Amino acid sequence: MSELFDAVDALVASRAKLPPPAERKRLRAAHGLTIDEVATALRVRRATVSGWESGKTEPRPPERDAYARLLDKLAELYPADAAAAPVQDTAVPATFTTAPAPAEPRTLSTGQASEAAVMTATENTQTPAPAPVTAAPAASPRPARTTRPSSTSRRPGAKKAAPGGTPAGGTDPRFENGPLAVVDVEEGKVLAYCVGGLVLDVPAKSIPALVDWTLREAKLGAPKLSGPGKDADPLLVLTEAALERYGLPATLTEEERLAGRLPEGHKVVKQLARAEWKLTKRGFGPWARVYRPATGSERACVQLCIPSWHALDTRHWGQAAQLPPAELARVLGVYASRVMTPRGSTAVTGLELMTALHPPTRASEPDADGRRHSEHNPGSLGKEPVDPAPCEAPDGHPVLKDLPRFHVRGPEEKLFEEAYDWARPMTDAECTLRYLVGIDVNMAFAAGANGLAVGLGEATHVKAPVFDPKLPGSWLVDLSHVDLSRVKVGKDKWAELDASLLPSPFTPKGERPEGPAWYATPTVAYAVELGYEVRPIEAWVRYNNGRYLDGWYNRLRDAYLATMADLGVHADMAPEDFLAAMDGYKARDPELAIIVSAVKATVKGGLGKLRERPRGEGWRPGEPWRALARPTWRPDIRAAVISRTRINLHRKIAKHAAFTGQYPIAVLSDCVVYASAGPSPLDFLPYRDGVALPGGFKLGINPGLVKWEGTQSVLWGEEVRERFDAPELNLARYIKDGTVTDVDNGE
């Protein structure tokens, strides 16, 4: 009889009434319980409790009865009507001690995915805002599927584009399943792993059919980032198993790798052609774009990413290509939600982000017949490329074709704004100290772009101009008279410095200029700031200008800060707490650490693309190359950003020297090395009651602030320089781990 009673109790428990998911979370947080504590008490996984609180899953016996009892007890203590204000989730730790738990895996047909995907999109979409930051979508393990739909329901074709007011980051029914999917084959079934643990069955038997399914049924993509812009095309990432299923090689041959694509005669390329799909000029390579010409506002384009063809560069994406499909979907999905859907390498994506935020055209106001036309979008670079000024053009550019063949341009003919690569021998006093400590500026080049006015159109040549620090351009001026031994460090405040221990702010190698040279506006403006008169000889200036990169900077800054916050490193931390949080932050969630690396590479690569050089293709000096056809081929913008970044760094170095009497022994790009009595940056940075020197170096995660790069001994530095007979070897290059390679002592 007792067995019957137990069976009845279990039956009643299986229907135990539970509050809504949001109320479950409120009750747990009100009592100060963590998800881990609840999971441990109920003997379930952390992700299981998370799924109950989000509404993705429902508890089943025997846990359901215990969970219901817990919630009933908490409801007695914290009734809903007593909650006048939202309860703060005090159970969320300030920093992660373990990696965020995976989301519950789900397998759905395309037709079944709709309702669940709306929840997923709501939880995982990140809108750009400086603060507060939200947690990244949780990674899903390679799903151990418990159900498999017998068939995939078909949907009608893609809906008409959403109105321009649709927020980029809100739930858009056209893109319910997220921006991308990783396509894999498991147990003979083709599956598409989307963000948030969603898994779709894929019925397509060929690449053309896969493209068609993606556009018609998969509901993949992302809303546009700017009003006049375009929605992001869906991205499919093909694993090696998917490549085999669709008749593609797992790796490219050496010839194909050098060409960057499959040959035109490959069967898959022919299949696409027969189905009337087109490929862009880069063909079917690691980042292939398959499309049909747009009809009106409707776009038919799918981006393919093939990791085994080296689409995900290990320098920027780490070991992302080796991740299981669900984990790879998580990494790329977080990047897509916070930056944009990848369009190629991080460099290509960085450049595309500029255009996505400032599209070249917009719809005009209706004319007399009520029709709208395409017109220039103010603040953008426009649709047509512009020629650089002769001083801004790199060697071999068509504007320099009349120069003698072997002519070498000097500073008076060529703008040369590059990052620092400077070092000096240590003084006797520095050699008595024990440590060399490197500090690194966070997102230095992004910070250099913030608030910078750049030219939006063609340059105008001016003779003997009056220098205007607000006017973007290139200036031929003699700055050899600027003496760094006495510089202005504030209003009516001058400082005496040892110029022999400082790099010059005007040249990448830190050498004092010897005569007239071309400089970008920020460099010349700094000479004026230091208190010296400048008289330009001539200039190429851009009267049509604006802060084109502000939106780009904000988007990348927010992506960086949000991801670092997920890793336990927050803005406005005390210096000691910041250094502790940065110690081993990558190990807290290696997948999110990949995103941090990719965001940084997006900044540097995007700026590098502004001055992209020829890439083979039979190019000869004096002839145009492919990149010149882009409106975003703008070496002057790149030069201005680098100039401002270098000047920002020198300003901090000078302020630090004036206040402390300490000088750097090496500077490489955004890394500065000082000799110190202790191994920590706090041993030489001048903090007073937790407050940093105004205008100097400050520890923190925000762009422009600094973090600890590495510490080595002074003996290590002297031994390395002696071993390679290089007294001015740039130790900033090796300060991180002390490993010395590729030494060039100038011989």
Side-chain angles (χ1 to χ4, degrees):
M1 183 66 68
S2 62
E3 293 180 357
L4 292 176
F5 288 163
D6 290 342
V8 170
D9 290 341
L11 185 62
V12 173
S14 69
R15 298 295 188 271
K17 186 177 180 181
L18 296 174
E23 177 67 3
R24 303 169 196 175
K25 181 176 181 180
R26 185 192 74 80
L27 291 172
R28 172 184 61 76
H31 200 60
L33 297 175
T34 66
I35 292 179
D36 289 316
E37 289 173 329
V38 175
T40 301
L42 299 178
R43 299 178 183 177
V44 296
R45 296 169 55 235
R46 183 186 191 279
T48 302
V49 178
S50 180
W52 297 345
E53 291 188 354
S54 67
K56 295 178 182 177
T57 58
E58 287 295 318
R60 293 176 293 186
E63 293 85 5
R64 186 182 179 95
D65 182 40
Y67 189 47
R69 183 173 302 181
L70 169 66
L71 296 175
D72 286 343
K73 294 288 186 182
L74 294 177
E76 293 175 4
L77 296 172
Y78 311 99
D81 55 2
V87 179
Q88 183 179 358
D89 190 352
T90 57
V92 178
T95 59
F96 287 139
T97 55
T98 58
E104 286 290 315
R106 297 165 290 155
T107 305
L108 304 173
S109 68
T110 313
Q112 293 170 313
S114 177
E115 183 176 354
V118 170
M119 178 69 72
T120 301
T122 303
E123 294 169 348
N124 293 332
T125 303
Q126 172 75 19
T127 55
V133 293
T134 59
S140 302
R142 191 179 185 88
R145 300 183 303 109
T146 56
T147 60
R148 185 190 299 278
S150 58
S151 62
T152 304
S153 58
R154 313 286 293 180
R155 288 186 187 174
K159 297 179 182 178
K160 194 173 182 179
T166 302
T171 302
D172 191 320
R174 297 171 300 149
F175 312 124
E176 288 178 347
N177 298 334
L180 54 89
V182 180
V183 181
D184 192 31
V185 179
E186 183 178 309
E187 299 176 3
K189 190 85 171 181
V190 182
L191 303 174
Y193 292 80
C194 306
V195 297
L198 181 68
V199 184
L200 304 177
D201 278 309
V202 181
K205 305 298 183 184
S206 66
I207 289 293
L210 178 65
V211 172
D212 187 70
W213 170 82
T214 302
L215 293 172
R216 291 180 179 274
E217 300 182 44
K219 290 200 170 185
L220 296 173
K224 56 192 175 183
L225 298 179
S226 174
K230 300 174 182 176
D231 296 327
D233 299 320
L235 172 65
L236 295 182
V237 185
L238 305 182
T239 66
E240 291 190 33
L243 294 175
E244 181 180 358
R245 170 61 66 92
Y246 291 120
L248 291 165
T251 58
L252 297 177
T253 66
E254 183 66 17
E255 182 179 352
E256 292 167 347
R257 187 186 64 80
L258 293 174
R261 68 187 73 189
L262 292 177
E264 296 295 326
H266 193 279
K267 63 179 182 180
V268 172
V269 178
K270 290 182 177 180
Q271 288 174 359
L272 289 168
R274 285 196 298 268
E276 298 183 346
W277 290 105
K278 296 181 180 294
L279 294 166
T280 57
K281 290 182 179 180
R282 59 184 174 186
F284 203 115
W287 290 93
R289 295 188 67 77
V290 184
Y291 73 99
R292 286 185 179 132
T295 56
S297 61
E298 292 290 337
R299 287 171 57 83
C301 184
V302 174
Q303 175 87 51
L304 301 179
C305 168
I306 306 178
S308 64
W309 294 5
H310 304 292
L312 302 175
D313 192 327
T314 55
R315 294 172 299 174
H316 311 140
W317 290 102
Q319 300 305 310
Q322 279 70 54
L323 291 174
E327 277 79 352
L328 181 55
R330 179 207 182 196
V331 168
L332 294 177
V334 174
Y335 179 89
S337 67
R338 294 182 174 178
V339 180
M340 70 179 298
T341 305
R343 296 287 301 271
S345 66
T346 50
V348 169
T349 303
L351 196 69
E352 291 286 345
L353 180 61
M354 296 180 194
T355 304
L357 294 169
H358 285 286
T361 60
R362 67 178 184 182
S364 68
E365 293 296 324
D367 60 16
D369 298 327
R371 296 180 179 179
R372 296 180 183 269
H373 307 277
S374 177
E375 67 177 13
H376 173 70
N377 182 28
S380 75
L381 298 182
K383 293 184 67 175
E384 300 300 325
V386 297
D387 284 335
C391 62
E392 299 165 348
D395 294 336
H397 192 279
V399 301
L400 305 174
K401 62 183 179 180
D402 293 333
L403 289 178
R405 183 175 180 184
F406 298 106
H407 178 73
V408 177
R409 295 185 295 162
E412 71 284 355
E413 296 177 281
K414 181 180 180 180
L415 178 69
F416 191 65
E417 294 282 12
E418 297 294 340
Y420 267 131
D421 184 357
W422 170 87
R424 62 169 176 82
M426 283 185 274
T427 64
D428 292 342
E430 289 166 340
C431 288
T432 64
L433 301 175
R434 294 187 60 186
Y435 299 100
L436 298 175
V437 183
I439 53 176
D440 180 80
V441 181
N442 296 312
M443 301 271 284
F445 294 98
N450 182 30
L452 178 65
V454 298
L456 301 178
E458 295 183 349
T460 300
H461 188 231
V462 184
K463 287 282 190 180
V466 175
F467 176 69
D468 183 352
K470 297 181 180 180
L471 189 58
S474 300
W475 309 78
L476 180 62
V477 58
D478 188 351
L479 299 180
S480 60
H481 64 289
V482 177
D483 184 6
L484 293 180
S485 62
R486 187 173 187 271
V487 297
K488 197 173 184 180
V489 293
K491 186 178 181 181
D492 300 326
K493 185 177 180 181
W494 293 74
E496 301 292 334
L497 303 177
D498 188 343
S500 67
L501 301 179
L502 282 174
S504 167
F506 308 126
T507 61
K509 291 293 185 180
E511 301 164 344
R512 186 169 179 169
E514 298 179 352
W518 286 98
Y519 303 100
T521 297
T523 303
V524 185
Y526 187 54
V528 176
E529 178 185 326
L530 292 176
Y532 293 88
E533 183 182 11
V534 297
R535 295 181 179 178
I537 301 169
E538 60 178 302
W540 289 89
V541 296
R542 290 173 169 82
Y543 296 107
N544 178 19
N545 58 73
R547 293 166 58 159
Y548 174 73
L549 295 174
D550 274 10
W552 183 81
Y553 161 78
N554 290 333
R555 181 82 176 172
L556 291 165
R557 175 204 61 194
D558 293 347
Y560 175 69
L561 292 180
T563 310
M564 290 301 296
D566 290 341
L567 288 165
V569 185
H570 303 271
D572 301 322
M573 299 180 83
E576 297 82 358
D577 295 337
F578 170 70
L579 291 174
M582 287 294 293
D583 186 18
Y585 76 92
K586 294 182 179 179
R588 294 178 198 137
D589 190 329
E591 293 172 10
L592 289 180
I594 291 174
I595 299 168
V596 172
S597 173
V599 171
K600 292 180 180 179
T602 303
V603 172
K604 291 186 177 181
L607 294 173
K609 277 282 186 180
L610 293 170
R611 189 179 179 264
E612 184 177 356
R613 301 289 286 130
R615 308 181 70 178
E617 303 174 346
W619 174 81
R620 294 181 178 179
E623 297 178 351
W625 56 92
R626 185 186 300 180
L628 300 189
R630 295 194 319 252
T632 49
W633 192 86
R634 292 294 301 273
D636 58 295
I637 295 180
R638 173 186 176 272
V641 172
I642 294 177
S643 164
R644 192 162 186 247
T645 302
R646 193 183 68 246
I647 293 306
N648 285 346
L649 185 58
H650 192 277
R651 184 182 293 111
K652 295 177 188 296
I653 291 172
K655 287 283 181 69
H656 184 86
F659 190 81
T660 67
Q662 298 169 336
Y663 296 83
I665 66 165
V667 185
L668 181 68
S669 188
D670 49 8
C671 177
V672 188
V673 176
Y674 282 91
S676 171
S680 168
L682 290 175
D683 291 318
F684 70 91
L685 291 182
Y687 274 84
R688 181 176 295 171
D689 298 327
V691 179
L693 169 68
F697 296 109
K698 179 182 179 181
L699 290 167
I701 199 59
N702 285 296
L705 305 188
V706 300
K707 62 179 182 294
W708 175 65
E709 179 69 4
T711 297
Q712 305 297 329
S713 69
V714 168
L715 291 177
W716 165 85
E718 288 295 272
E719 188 274 331
V720 168
R721 286 178 164 177
E722 183 178 345
R723 187 197 331 161
F724 293 100
D725 192 22
E728 296 184 4
L729 180 69
N730 195 328
L731 298 176
R733 182 173 281 109
Y734 317 108
I735 194 70
K736 190 166 190 174
D737 59 10
T739 302
V740 182
T741 58
D742 302 326
V743 171
D744 180 6
N745 60 8
E747 294 182 3

